[in-house]
């Protein structure tokens, strides 16, 4: 009898000793639509990685190192089971399959090795250039830096787009929303901002991360080809979660971009991350939430959709010197329907960001590119993120253009206009033409300053409105060839001193005399 009791006690002890191992293994009881329900993972935690693996003879480490390892992400903790979203091919999972707890939150490889590469959400290569060899991993979700770790945004991030750098300036560490309907040039602005970093000195050039969420693979391939042709891929990383990718990877892709950007920010460098676009991320998250049986709210989005975007965008920061002085600038993109900025996702993201660049479909259709609506666009960082040179030439443009837009609408109903109003309208038309820019042709900061300086000081007053863009091109060629020293001085000093201003005025007079064919108004 005593022997039986002793054996029973020993079995209970053995069972107790192996409880921790038992709790790290579960089985799939249901799978479908990218979501697996698992029983047995009693110690699972939120956002933990789990490994789908039926081979019990392999250790956890060996199973995780397999090239075809399939992971899931724990998103629902329920009384008797956990629900995970599958980060890969759902067809490989069946009922009864073993699932192992890894004890790790979802992490991806980061580092300089990713530069010039196209990767998926898990930072696995998609460009056929071989494996990415890095031993540095970072969690895909991380708490944002606190207020005391940050400093105010005061360094400009030049986009190379005159209308933005003069009227809606973006600073390093800022979150500036690009918002508008389909086909209004949102992605073009973001790509031009990446291309323009080629004009920045190597030591201060930001690392750029372009995150394509729910985009056609052909569009992403076209963007990569454009960046490679311009030599911009050497400082750029592309994260792609195409429309064909599982919803879980589309939902996590922006977080992967933020994680990669934070690596550079933490090392004291500047980084720019573009989320194209968060509307599609929100749709992917809504799909996952409904499949996880979470209650729907406004427009069927879950109640924590605001928290999803706020915890993502709060990771953009300008760190203080004690933390290394690095920065992460975020340019989220949101797509609107018929210009409606009052719907759920646009209002959420507008309230989180430090300003927005609103693109108007009507302006776009009229041929104004970029189609920035001056009245609805704002940068809450403002002139703090502008050089003195740009501040001095761009200060009055915003008011002039806003007044011009109002007068232009009024002009359709007015018969007779007084001379002052006519002059204001003519000046507004020429300024609108001056701010037009072709896709993929960003201008260096000093050329923007010289162009706008000429515009506000009357160089193009006697040029037909439709010829202003041509005249500006000739003016910039003239400055580049004959007065390159002035461009260099503006770039170096960041301001227009009295001496430079006098030389610019003389250059304008000389240019006007040498190009009389351009100045034909009134003849």
């Amino acid at each position: 009898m005593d022997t039986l009791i002793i054996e029973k006690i020993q079995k209970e002890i053995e069972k107790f000793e192996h409880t921790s191992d038992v709790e790290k293994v579960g089985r799939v009881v249901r799978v479908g639509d990218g979501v697996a329900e698992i029983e047995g993972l009693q110690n699972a935690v939120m956002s933990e990685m789990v490994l789908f693996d039926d081979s019990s003879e392999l250790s956890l480490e060996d199973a995780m190192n397999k090239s075809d390892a399939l992971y899931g992400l724990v998103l629902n903790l329920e009384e008797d089971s956990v629900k995970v979203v599958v980060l890969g091919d759902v067809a490989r999972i069946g009922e009864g399959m073993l699932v192992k707890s890894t004890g790790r939150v979802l992490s991806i490889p980061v580092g300089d090795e990713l530069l010039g590469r196209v990767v998926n959400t898990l930072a696995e290569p998609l460009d056929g250039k071989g494996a990415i060899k890095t031993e540095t991993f970072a969690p895909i979700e991380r708490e944002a830096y606190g207020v005391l770790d940050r400093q105010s945004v005061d360094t400009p991030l030049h986009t190379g787009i005159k209308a933005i750098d003069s009227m809606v300036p973006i600073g390093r560490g800022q979150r500036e929303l690009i918002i508008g309907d389909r086909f209004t040039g949102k992605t073009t602005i973001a790509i031009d901002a990446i291309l323009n970093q080629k004009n920045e000195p190597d030591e201060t050039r930001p690392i750029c991360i372009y995150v394509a969420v729910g985009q056609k693979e052909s569009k992403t391939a076209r963007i990569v080809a454009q960046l490679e042709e311009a030599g911009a891929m050497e400082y750029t990383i592309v994260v792609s979660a195409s429309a064909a990718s599982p919803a879980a990877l589309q939902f996590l892709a922006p977080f992967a971009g933020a994680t990669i950007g934070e690596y550079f920010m933490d090392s004291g460098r500047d980084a720019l991350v573009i989320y194209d676009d968060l509307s599609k991320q929100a749709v992917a998250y809504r799909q996952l939430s409904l499949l996880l049986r979470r209650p729907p709210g406004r427009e069927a989005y879950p109640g924590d959709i605001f928290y999803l975007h706020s915890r993502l965008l709060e990771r953009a920061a300008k760190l203080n010197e004690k933390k290394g002085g690095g920065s992460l600038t975020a340019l989220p993109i949101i797509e609107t329907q018929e210009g409606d900025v009052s719907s759920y996702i646009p209002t959420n993201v507008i309230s989180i960001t430090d300003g927005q660049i609103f693109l108007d479909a009507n302006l776009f259709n009229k041929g104004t590119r970029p189609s920035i609506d001056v009245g609805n666009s704002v940068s809450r960082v403002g002139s703090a993120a502008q050089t003195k040179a740009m501040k001095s030439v761009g200060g009055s443009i915003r008011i002039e253009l806003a007044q011009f837009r109002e007068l232009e609408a009024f002009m359709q109903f007015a018969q007779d206009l007084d001379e002052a109003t006519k002059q204001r309208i003519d000046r507004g038309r020429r300024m609108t033409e001056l701010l037009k820019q072709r896709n993929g042709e960003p201008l260096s900061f000093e050329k923007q300053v010289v162009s706008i300086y000429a515009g506000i000081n009357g160089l193009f007053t006697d040029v037909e409105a439709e010829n202003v863009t041509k005249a500006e091109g000739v003016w910039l060629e003239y400055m580049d060839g004959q007065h390159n020293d002035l461009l260099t001085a503006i770039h170096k000093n960041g301001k227009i001193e009295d001496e430079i201003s006098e030389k610019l005025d003389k250059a304008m007079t000389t240019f006007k005399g040498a190009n009389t064919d351009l100045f034909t108004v009134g003849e």
Side-chain angles (χ1 to χ4, degrees), residues 29 37-41 76-83:
V29 293
E37 188 175 344
I38 300 162
E39 282 184 352
L41 294 179
N76 262 29
L77 298 174
E78 298 176 1
E79 190 173 354
D80 300 316
S81 63
V82 297
K83 284 181 181 172

Side-chain angles (χ1 to χ4, degrees), residues 179-184 186 334-343 346 358-362 365 373 376:
I179 185 169
D181 287 0
R182 288 188 74 193
F183 304 120
T184 50
K186 301 185 296 296
I334 286 288
E335 184 181 298
T336 55
Q337 306 291 330
E338 295 293 328
D340 180 17
V341 294
S342 64
S343 58
F358 184 79
L359 302 180
D360 190 317
N362 292 327
N365 294 333
D373 183 333
N376 286 324

Side-chain angles (χ1 to χ4, degrees), residues 291-336:
L291 289 170
L292 290 167
R293 304 291 182 183
R294 293 180 181 176
R298 179 175 165 189
E299 294 180 28
Y301 288 104
D304 64 341
I305 192 79
F306 179 88
Y307 178 56
L308 173 81
H309 286 150
S310 64
R311 75 177 189 263
L312 170 69
L313 294 170
E314 279 296 326
R315 290 165 74 173
K318 168 76 170 168
L319 298 182
N320 59 31
E321 292 303 320
K322 194 183 291 185
K323 287 286 181 180
S327 73
L328 178 62
T329 309
L331 292 182
I333 295 175
I334 286 288
E335 184 181 298
T336 55

Side-chain angles (χ1 to χ4, degrees), residues 205-238:
R205 179 181 297 147
I207 302 298
C208 301
I209 301 113
Y210 175 74
V211 183
V213 183
Q215 307 291 340
K216 288 189 291 187
E217 289 180 351
S218 58
K219 177 185 176 183
T220 306
R222 191 168 65 249
I223 287 169
V224 171
Q226 183 184 358
L227 294 173
E228 282 179 341
E229 187 180 345
M233 276 303 286
E234 63 188 42
Y235 56 84
T236 303
I237 301 162
V238 176

Side-chain angles (χ1 to χ4, degrees), residues 128-150:
K129 296 180 180 177
I132 296 168
K133 297 175 182 177
T134 176
E135 295 181 358
T136 310
F137 282 74
I140 207 164
E141 291 238 34
R142 194 177 90 173
E143 191 176 343
Y145 280 101
V147 174
L148 297 178
D149 295 325
R150 304 175 183 235

